Amino acid sequence: MVVEVKEIFLTFRSKRSWIRMIVSAAVFFVVALPFKSLFTLLPGVTEIRPANMIPPVLGLYFGPAAAWGISLGNLVSDITAGSGAFVCISGFVANFFYSYIPYKLWYTLKIGKQPIRPIQLSSVTEIVKYILIILIDSLVTTTALSLIFESAGFQAMASSFPLLFFNNFDFAILLGIPVLSLLEKYRVQPEVPKDCYSANQNPKGKWLDISLYLISAVGIVYLIFSGVTHMQIRPSVAFALLCFVFVGLFLYPLRPVMEVEEQKTSKGRVKISIKTKVTIGFLLLSVVFLLLIGIVTLNTININGQWNRLETWNYLYLVVGITINIVYAVAIAFLWYVEKNITLPIERLSNLTEVYAKQEHDHQTGHEELIQHCSEIPKGDEIGALAQSFQKMMEELDSYMVNLATITADKERIATELNVAKQIQASMMPCIFPAFPERSEFDIYATMMPAKEVGGDFYDFFLIDEKHLAVVMADVSGKGVPAALFMVIGKTLIKNQAQLGHSPAEIFTTVNMQLCENNDAGLFVTSWMGILDIETGKFTYVNAGHNPPLLKKSGGEYEYLRSRPGFVLAGMEGIRYRQFEMTLEEGDMLYLYTDGVTEATNSENQLYGEDRLVKFINQHKDDGPQSLLTSIKGDIDSFVGEAPQFDDITMLCLKIKSKNNT
């Protein structure tokens, strides 16, 4: 108990408490000052003022600091109004406990299983708790004030118990809830008791609660009974009841508070919850409704014209007070229905989506717990349908993530295998340059850039014997793995036939027959092949539907080597190919390529084309094989720009340097 007493009086040691005390005093004084004029208009009724909502609200939020500040503000207000010492002292004491009791009640009462948290009105349970606290506080304070006035001989004030109660209770609800919502919205930190006891403990002093409630109940019942029977309370009885009430009031602050759930603090504003908005909306509607009730009641009274101004006001205030409490009861019932069927499911669904959004989403992370919570949301309305949709989305997304993980693993495996295939394909074609460093009669260079991981284009060059060099350029229909496999077969067959000593026409005739066998995929190959007699310069070549190469004679320019092409390889059985001959001299150069060069397309859907190729290559006609191919690839890249590569780009260049001297 000593700890609780210290909490009240050690308030003045904190700078923040001093600020809150001064602000509370100033707010109470400024708000209460205009209503002092009611003393003149309605003599004998001093407590009909909305300012009476400030003590329980600020006291509930800021604790002892606000209680001291409001008591001082009321004291200054009473002194300014010229009240006597008795009214000033009793008003100071009453306002202190009127402010402090809600603070203690909030951290003492535990409703249901909901933990005790710093003041907030985010659920119907907390709103009911707030109304219950205000009810207890208003009854106790009104009882004490009525007994004080009765003991002091103010019979008019003592008989105004209903008015005093409705004033304290109704304004604390009507104006208090919006004020608390604003304080919460702007994250004003509430005062929280430092010393608490666990809910599992049974501390000494619970009899203080019982005594407080019993004493207050006895006083209230006695006052109501005396008001109904018009029985005057004897001063001795009133004084005795007053002593009992104040004993309870003085003992109650010694009551230890319950354990408070820790609250995470953050800066900035918070969004007002849907339940709070609905509550404030109901309160605003209540104001309009009460104004209408007041106007109708006032007009009814005026028609009779039997009551004086004070009687009229008392009756009007009594009717409005009773009506507003009926509205509160209806509002609480409606809010409970809204919370159970609308706002609570929405908040649960919102929390589930927030948790779901923050979780890891991979094939190893399941959301069974979230799905289970989502399935517990009541079905049968739009919110239930939304919860079902969200639940289905989580289930499908989990399934998708599992499938995606499997597919990704398969794709990674395929990508690895394709990378190996690409390396194998690259290693099958001559890729070490200079290719024949011991031969000074010619120079050769070739490149291939597949459009996919593996391609269908291929080039080849090899010495059939010491006197004959074969060069091949080919393009398999299609792309990717099927074309690459067909390319391997075609390349192998061509090289095998060439090493047997056959002529180019015989090679293509035989290879065509072999490729046509079991060609269920319907693939075909365009190819160009030539065999050079290194000693004589005789060059025999054959074309199976391939692009014509470019030939530059020594000292001249590149021109297309036109010849009547034969049919593609693997296109039809029984095809016989015709070969052509020419002589290559020292300085002559031959450029072979696939259609990936001339059909390279830019973002405007324009082709690179044969004309641009021959024009560009003649600008670099004096370049060696490697330099020439590098320049052509650079020009293609410049032409294409950001457009994707749709076809394999394969090139080969042969330069005759000298005749064989052997």
Side-chain angles (χ1 to χ4, degrees):
M1 291 186 180
V2 176
V3 175
E4 282 74 20
V5 174
K6 285 183 178 179
E7 183 184 14
I8 296 175
F9 291 99
L10 292 182
T11 302
F12 305 104
R13 297 180 60 181
S14 170
K15 180 180 178 181
R16 186 179 72 170
S17 296
W18 273 99
I19 294 174
R20 289 182 170 182
M21 182 176 67
I22 294 172
V23 170
S24 299
V27 169
F28 183 82
F29 177 78
V30 171
V31 176
L33 188 62
F35 296 93
K36 291 296 181 180
S37 59
L38 288 177
F39 296 166
T40 303
L41 296 175
L42 302 173
V45 182
T46 61
E47 291 299 315
I48 301 177
R49 48 182 178 174
N52 275 22
M53 72 92 183
I54 295 177
V57 172
L58 294 187
L60 177 61
Y61 212 88
F62 298 125
W68 286 115
I70 289 168
S71 299
L72 292 174
N74 185 77
L75 179 62
V76 174
S77 177
D78 286 340
I79 294 174
T80 303
S83 302
F86 177 81
V87 174
C88 292
I89 295 173
S90 60
F92 181 90
V93 175
N95 274 282
F96 178 84
F97 288 105
Y98 185 41
S99 306
Y100 189 68
I101 286 177
Y103 171 74
K104 296 294 289 187
L105 281 174
W106 183 268
Y107 297 103
T108 300
L109 296 178
K110 184 178 175 64
I111 300 179
K113 297 182 180 180
Q114 188 169 7
I116 294 180
R117 300 183 296 183
I119 176 65
Q120 56 181 318
L121 304 179
S122 58
S123 68
V124 172
T125 302
E126 289 170 325
I127 293 174
V128 170
K129 180 178 178 180
Y130 172 75
I131 293 176
L132 179 61
I133 288 173
I134 297 302
L135 176 63
I136 295 173
D137 190 35
S138 300
L139 288 174
V140 171
T141 305
T142 305
T143 301
L145 288 174
S146 298
L147 292 173
I148 290 173
F149 295 144
E150 182 74 21
S151 301
F154 296 103
Q155 296 298 326
M157 295 299 298
S159 62
S160 300
F161 178 85
L163 295 180
L164 296 177
F165 168 75
F166 287 140
N167 180 83
N168 295 338
F169 178 72
D170 292 338
F171 280 123
I173 303 300
L174 190 63
L175 302 178
I177 292 178
V179 171
L180 290 173
S181 300
L182 287 176
L183 291 173
E184 182 182 351
K185 175 180 175 63
Y186 289 95
R187 295 188 187 275
V188 179
Q189 295 303 317
E191 188 68 25
V192 179
K194 303 298 186 297
D195 298 278
C196 313
Y197 78 93
S198 172
N200 297 324
Q201 297 174 349
N202 185 23
K204 297 178 181 179
K206 282 191 175 181
W207 60 271
L208 297 177
D209 297 338
I210 299 174
S211 63
L212 173 63
Y213 303 147
L214 288 178
I215 291 171
S216 301
V218 170
I220 293 167
V221 170
Y222 192 90
L223 286 173
I224 295 175
F225 178 76
S226 64
V228 172
T229 60
H230 302 286
M231 180 180 64
Q232 296 294 329
I233 303 176
R234 288 180 295 176
S236 58
V237 175
F239 181 75
L241 290 173
L242 179 63
C243 291
F244 276 112
V245 172
F246 270 96
V247 166
L249 291 176
F250 277 112
L251 289 177
Y252 191 77
L254 306 181
R255 168 75 160 84
V257 298
M258 299 281 285
E259 189 174 13
V260 182
E261 185 181 65
E262 183 180 358
Q263 184 182 45
K264 296 182 180 180
T265 59
S266 57
K267 298 181 180 179
R269 303 179 184 180
V270 295
K271 295 181 179 179
I272 298 178
S273 66
I274 297 176
K275 285 175 285 191
T276 304
K277 291 179 180 178
V278 172
T279 304
I280 295 175
F282 251 82
L283 293 176
L284 294 176
L285 290 176
S286 300
V287 172
V288 177
F289 179 70
L290 293 174
L291 287 176
L292 295 175
I293 293 294
I295 293 173
V296 173
T297 304
L298 184 61
N299 291 334
T300 303
I301 295 173
N302 290 336
I303 292 175
N304 297 328
Q306 298 176 354
W307 292 345
N308 58 31
R309 183 170 55 185
L310 180 57
E311 292 174 334
T312 300
W313 176 262
N314 288 342
Y315 179 77
L316 177 63
Y317 201 76
L318 184 63
V319 171
V320 172
I322 294 174
T323 304
I324 195 173
N325 286 282
I326 296 174
V327 173
Y328 290 156
V330 175
I332 290 298
F334 177 77
L335 288 175
W336 176 82
Y337 176 82
V338 170
E339 179 180 80
K340 182 179 179 181
N341 296 279
I342 300 177
T343 58
L344 189 58
I346 289 177
E347 288 183 358
R348 290 174 61 186
L349 187 58
S350 176
N351 293 333
L352 287 174
T353 55
E354 184 177 2
V355 172
Y356 183 76
K358 292 180 179 179
Q359 286 186 347
E360 295 288 337
H361 295 279
D362 54 44
H363 68 286
Q364 297 178 345
T365 303
H367 302 95
E368 292 79 6
E369 185 175 354
L370 292 180
I371 293 173
Q372 176 62 29
H373 289 320
C374 194
S375 64
E376 294 173 356
I377 297 177
K379 307 301 188 293
D381 55 15
E382 291 81 357
I383 300 174
L386 181 61
Q388 285 182 320
S389 298
F390 182 64
Q391 177 183 346
K392 184 178 180 181
M393 184 197 74
M394 286 192 293
E395 293 172 347
E396 291 181 350
L397 187 56
D398 284 349
S399 176
Y400 170 78
M401 294 304 296
V402 173
N403 294 335
L404 181 62
T406 304
I407 294 172
T408 302
D410 291 341
K411 289 186 66 176
E412 290 176 352
R413 177 180 55 80
I414 293 172
T416 302
E417 294 175 355
L418 286 175
N419 187 48
V420 174
K422 180 179 180 180
Q423 296 175 4
I424 294 174
Q425 184 183 37
S427 65
M428 292 183 65
M429 289 178 281
C431 54
I432 299 176
F433 299 97
F436 305 101
E438 72 282 359
R439 306 301 294 258
S440 60
E441 300 90 347
F442 59 89
D443 186 14
I444 193 168
Y445 188 79
T447 62
M448 187 185 98
M449 284 72 68
K452 294 187 176 182
E453 289 81 358
V454 290
D457 285 7
F458 70 90
Y459 67 84
D460 200 2
F461 54 84
F462 50 89
L463 287 171
I464 298 173
D465 52 40
E466 291 298 321
K467 296 193 302 180
H468 295 90
L469 172 70
V471 293
V472 181
M473 181 64 62
D475 181 4
V476 179
S477 62
K479 300 177 182 63
V481 175
L485 293 175
F486 207 71
M487 159 259 172
V488 172
I489 297 172
K491 176 181 178 300
T492 303
L493 292 176
I494 291 174
K495 187 172 183 178
N496 289 342
Q497 292 298 319
Q499 289 178 335
L500 293 176
H502 297 158
S503 67
E506 293 173 336
I507 294 172
F508 272 21
T509 300
T510 303
V511 169
N512 176 67
M513 181 182 61
Q514 293 173 335
L515 290 177
C516 285
E517 295 177 359
N518 300 321
N519 185 17
D520 296 333
L523 297 175
F524 61 87
V525 186
T526 67
S527 183
W528 196 97
M529 179 181 183
I531 297 178
L532 172 67
D533 188 325
I534 301 174
E535 292 183 346
T536 64
K538 178 183 175 183
F539 191 74
T540 307
Y541 61 93
V542 62
N543 188 350
H546 198 73
N547 302 76
L550 284 163
L551 175 66
K552 180 181 80 70
K553 301 298 290 184
S554 179
E557 291 188 340
Y558 282 94
E559 295 179 356
Y560 283 103
L561 183 59
R562 305 289 184 180
S563 60
R564 184 177 179 180
F567 199 60
V568 297
L569 299 177
M572 182 183 297
E573 295 181 358
I575 299 295
R576 293 190 174 274
Y577 293 88
R578 178 183 177 185
Q579 63 186 27
F580 303 89
E581 295 181 359
M582 64 178 176
T583 301
L584 297 179
E585 303 291 340
E586 183 177 338
D588 292 353
M589 294 184 69
L590 181 67
Y591 171 74
L592 306 177
Y593 61 95
T594 60
D595 57 5
V597 174
T598 55
E599 295 180 3
T601 307
N602 61 15
S603 57
E604 298 178 358
N605 206 29
Q606 296 175 334
L607 299 179
Y608 187 78
E610 293 182 349
D611 294 339
R612 182 183 178 103
L613 175 61
V614 71
K615 181 179 179 181
F616 180 82
I617 199 172
N618 279 320
Q619 294 174 358
H620 298 267
K621 61 183 179 180
D622 297 327
D623 291 354
Q626 182 174 356
S627 177
L628 179 64
L629 297 192
T630 302
S631 299
I632 295 174
K633 182 60 170 63
D635 189 56
I636 293 173
D637 292 340
S638 177
F639 172 80
V640 171
E642 299 297 328
Q645 179 182 340
F646 290 107
D647 202 357
D648 305 333
I649 297 177
T650 307
M651 298 179 288
L652 182 148
C653 185
L654 172 67
K655 180 178 181 180
I656 306 300
K657 297 174 65 175
S658 64
K659 296 290 181 68
N660 193 339
N661 297 324
T662 58

